[in-house]
Amino acid sequence: MLYVVGIGSGSKLHITKEAEEVLKNVDLIVCYKNYKKYVERFNKPIYTTGMTKEIDRVEYALKEAKYKDVALVSSGDPTIYGLASLAYEINSIKNYNVEIRVIPGITAASLASSVLGSPLNHDFVVISFSDLLTPLSTILKRFEYALKGDFVICIYNPLSKKRKEPFLKAIDILKDFVKDVNYIIGIVKNAGRDNEEYLITNFEEFYKNLEKYLEFIDMNTIIIIGNSSTKIINNKMVTPRGYLNKYKIL
Amino acid sequence: MLYVVGIGSGSKLHITKEAEEVLKNVDLIVCYKNYKKYVERFNKPIYTTGMTKEIDRVEYALKEAKYKDVALVSSGDPTIYGLASLAYEINSIKNYNVEIRVIPGITAASLASSVLGSPLNHDFVVISFSDLLTPLSTILKRFEYALKGDFVICIYNPLSKKRKEPFLKAIDILKDFVKDVNYIIGIVKNAGRDNEEYLITNFEEFYKNLEKYLEFIDMNTIIIIGNSSTKIINNKMVTPRGYLNKYKIL
């Protein structure tokens, strides 16, 4: 049996009871090498590979899962930019016939939202800026439609030392929308972890100090761009759900 | 202190350690009346109100939180269609000066995704079809941009006995996109709860049997419409992340 398990931030605080129980009971844990530290406490054999070795990791997990209970661990939720789909795909292509079960986890969008206040509290999009597997034109097209729809926008994998182009091109697109709205922007690094940091600003201030923000943002950062109603309340980023437009407060 | 706490599906399996600890330690729990059953096990005083009484519930929680530790409980994640924003707004308007902390939870999108397979495994939008607080024109505009962007679409509050119009209008919009793609559609009722049920189909089949599906769907249902790459693999709904377009499997 293969369990594809989400562990949230990696902190003991953000794991569910279900994920905890599964990890206590499997025979083998398979994960990305930098996440080994989050699962060592379960005292199981651990197989790890590095970045871009996802196929290798999933194949190993599936092969072992023919005879054992294996947990393929993702941070956050395994169905949100995690390895659940790849497990289903390879299982079918290679005819492994392994039974697969997904154990959901708290995704980084929720963790980042809780740190910033409540920016996701209306319709939103989640979009990854990594162009390793998605053409840049698709990323930018989606970003533009998200802005046209006045969605709150939550960006995963915004930029790395080597990959700044998608982010900078998106900022150019955003600039064209700013004549109407000075978007509130929330930036959370290492959400839910010991070294968590966050900033809340608006587009104007962000753009003026772009270099400074580019230094701060990395691959473990989530960026949330508000919709046209998002505001700052007591230093928190809040997107109203709309109750106060409809009902009076006495 | 006011904790705005997400409890996921309501099942003990899907709550985080952090939420569990907070609920064990507060003096009072405030929640929607139908969720009382999920928090009774903490043996705390519980204050509940019904649907459309959200402002009352939040005000009560904030007033009590001046002197006590209070948990305002949402199912799923409190920043995703939950009451976190309203708490920040009322706290500011009424000058309660209560300290607010959001405790994230697993949102219904992740729960539903894990049940269906892995449909959210690429860029997606989350959109509520309730037009109680959002104009129908905004909902439909967003739905259309989501389709244009080829996002996976996750719909909360799709319809109720009395409110079918947004859903039916959205289906009309979807129909115009179907000439290119016979979208895979996943429907999950009561995700993560004992009475969980799900169906996976495609647009053609869905539309042919619309009446049957309208009977099945309710306010506790999440609907996920795939993007143009989403497929059915071994009876599960899977949206590829793109690894197999880039890397060869040997």
Side-chain angles (χ1 to χ4, degrees):
Chain A
M1 177 90 166
L2 180 68
Y3 296 91
V4 192
V5 181
I7 56 165
S9 65
S11 153
K12 270 189 212 176
L13 290 176
H14 300 123
I15 193 166
T16 65
K17 185 86 180 280
E18 187 181 36
E20 186 91 16
E21 288 303 311
V22 166
L23 292 171
K24 272 182 196 159
N25 288 309
V26 292
D27 306 302
L28 170 71
I29 295 175
V30 178
C31 67
Y32 172 49
K33 66 179 168 47
N34 293 6
Y35 297 158
K36 190 175 172 183
K37 58 184 179 234
Y38 301 131
V39 292
E40 275 171 334
R41 67 187 173 95
F42 295 100
N43 294 313
K44 303 285 177 179
I46 302 177
Y47 175 86
T48 69
T49 67
M51 192 75 82
T52 76
K53 296 293 176 203
E54 291 83 5
I55 289 180
D56 173 73
R57 209 181 304 149
V58 171
E59 279 214 78
Y60 185 85
L62 281 164
K63 277 182 195 162
E64 292 292 310
K66 288 173 131 182
Y67 317 104
K68 294 179 193 168
D69 283 335
V70 178
L72 175 66
V73 167
S74 287
S75 68
D77 182 85
T79 75
I80 299 180
Y81 305 117
L83 293 177
S85 288
L86 190 59
Y88 281 109
E89 289 179 280
I90 294 179
N91 191 38
S92 163
I93 290 167
K94 291 266 184 142
N95 283 310
Y96 285 140
N97 291 310
V98 167
E99 198 183 336
I100 298 176
R101 229 187 105 200
V102 176
I103 309 296
I106 295 197
T107 186
S110 283
L111 290 161
S113 185
S114 72
V115 172
L116 293 168
S118 189
L120 293 184
N121 223 314
H122 212 304
D123 307 329
F124 63 94
V125 317
V126 171
I127 181 165
S128 167
F129 273 14
S130 168
D131 59 353
L132 278 176
L133 302 173
T134 306
L136 179 55
S137 59
T138 303
I139 295 171
L140 295 176
K141 181 188 77 173
R142 286 179 177 162
F143 184 70
E144 190 166 350
Y145 281 126
L147 285 166
K148 284 185 176 163
D150 195 27
F151 286 98
V152 177
I153 300 174
C154 181
I155 302 165
Y156 282 56
N157 313 312
L159 55 80
S160 67
K161 291 252 173 297
K162 279 187 270 179
R163 192 181 46 72
K164 293 197 164 54
E165 194 193 0
F167 189 77
L168 293 173
K169 291 219 156 126
I171 294 296
D172 275 340
I173 294 172
L174 184 56
K175 219 166 43 170
D176 288 338
F177 285 81
V178 168
K179 48 186 174 296
D180 307 315
V181 187
N182 187 9
Y183 292 97
I184 308 296
I185 299 177
I187 305 169
V188 187
K189 208 155 134 176
N190 301 309
R193 296 178 182 155
D194 292 341
N195 52 349
E196 173 184 287
E197 292 177 83
Y198 76 96
L199 298 168
I200 296 173
T201 182
N202 58 45
F203 180 80
E204 210 178 282
E205 210 273 321
F206 181 85
Y207 197 68
K208 236 190 280 175
N209 300 285
L210 191 56
E211 284 306 317
K212 187 188 90 181
Y213 285 106
L214 289 180
E215 273 299 306
F216 181 78
I217 297 166
D218 66 11
M219 286 295 278
N220 293 313
T221 302
I222 293 286
I223 300 178
I224 300 182
I225 302 171
N227 68 16
S228 60
S229 311
T230 303
K231 46 194 168 189
I232 296 177
I233 298 177
N234 296 333
N235 303 314
K236 292 284 178 175
M237 180 176 178
V238 176
T239 303
R241 179 82 175 87
Y243 291 105
L244 301 184
N245 299 334
K246 180 158 175 146
Y247 303 107
K248 286 259 172 302
I249 292 200
L250 301 173
Chain B
M1 177 89 166
L2 180 67
Y3 296 91
V4 192
V5 181
I7 56 166
S9 66
S11 152
K12 270 189 213 177
L13 290 176
H14 300 122
I15 194 167
T16 65
K17 186 87 181 281
E18 186 181 35
E20 186 92 14
E21 288 304 311
V22 165
L23 292 171
K24 271 182 196 159
N25 288 309
V26 292
D27 306 303
L28 170 70
I29 295 176
V30 177
C31 67
Y32 173 49
K33 67 178 167 46
N34 293 6
Y35 297 158
K36 191 175 172 182
K37 57 183 179 241
Y38 300 131
V39 291
E40 275 171 335
R41 66 187 172 96
F42 296 100
N43 293 313
K44 303 287 177 179
I46 303 178
Y47 176 86
T48 70
T49 66
M51 193 73 82
T52 77
K53 296 293 177 202
E54 291 83 5
I55 290 180
D56 174 75
R57 207 181 305 148
V58 170
E59 280 215 77
Y60 185 85
L62 281 163
K63 277 182 195 161
E64 292 292 309
K66 289 172 132 181
Y67 317 105
K68 293 177 193 167
D69 283 335
V70 178
L72 175 65
V73 167
S74 287
S75 67
D77 182 85
T79 76
I80 299 179
Y81 305 117
L83 293 177
S85 288
L86 191 59
Y88 281 109
E89 288 180 281
I90 294 179
N91 191 38
S92 163
I93 291 166
K94 291 265 185 143
N95 283 309
Y96 286 140
N97 290 311
V98 166
E99 198 184 336
I100 299 176
R101 228 185 106 201
V102 175
I103 309 296
I106 295 197
T107 186
S110 283
L111 291 162
S113 185
S114 72
V115 171
L116 293 168
S118 190
L120 294 184
N121 224 314
H122 211 305
D123 307 329
F124 63 95
V125 317
V126 170
I127 180 164
S128 167
F129 273 13
S130 169
D131 60 353
L132 278 176
L133 303 173
T134 306
L136 179 55
S137 59
T138 303
I139 295 171
L140 296 175
K141 182 188 77 174
R142 286 178 177 163
F143 184 70
E144 191 166 350
Y145 280 126
L147 285 166
K148 283 184 176 162
D150 195 27
F151 286 98
V152 177
I153 301 174
C154 181
I155 301 165
Y156 282 56
N157 312 312
L159 55 80
S160 67
K161 291 252 174 297
K162 281 187 269 177
R163 191 181 45 72
K164 293 196 165 54
E165 194 193 0
F167 189 78
L168 293 174
K169 291 218 156 126
I171 293 297
D172 275 340
I173 293 171
L174 183 57
K175 219 166 45 171
D176 289 337
F177 284 82
V178 168
K179 49 185 173 298
D180 307 313
V181 188
N182 187 10
Y183 292 97
I184 307 296
I185 299 177
I187 305 169
V188 187
K189 208 155 133 176
N190 301 309
R193 295 177 182 155
D194 292 340
N195 53 349
E196 173 184 286
E197 291 177 83
Y198 77 95
L199 298 169
I200 296 172
T201 182
N202 59 45
F203 180 79
E204 210 178 283
E205 209 273 322
F206 181 85
Y207 196 68
K208 236 190 280 174
N209 300 285
L210 191 56
E211 284 306 316
K212 186 188 90 181
Y213 285 105
L214 289 180
E215 273 300 306
F216 181 78
I217 297 166
D218 66 11
M219 285 295 278
N220 294 313
T221 302
I222 293 286
I223 300 178
I224 300 182
I225 302 172
N227 69 15
S228 60
S229 310
T230 304
K231 46 193 167 188
I232 295 177
I233 298 177
N234 296 333
N235 302 313
K236 292 284 178 175
M237 179 177 179
V238 177
T239 302
R241 178 82 175 87
Y243 292 104
L244 301 183
N245 299 334
K246 180 158 176 144
Y247 302 107
K248 285 261 172 302
I249 292 200
L250 301 174

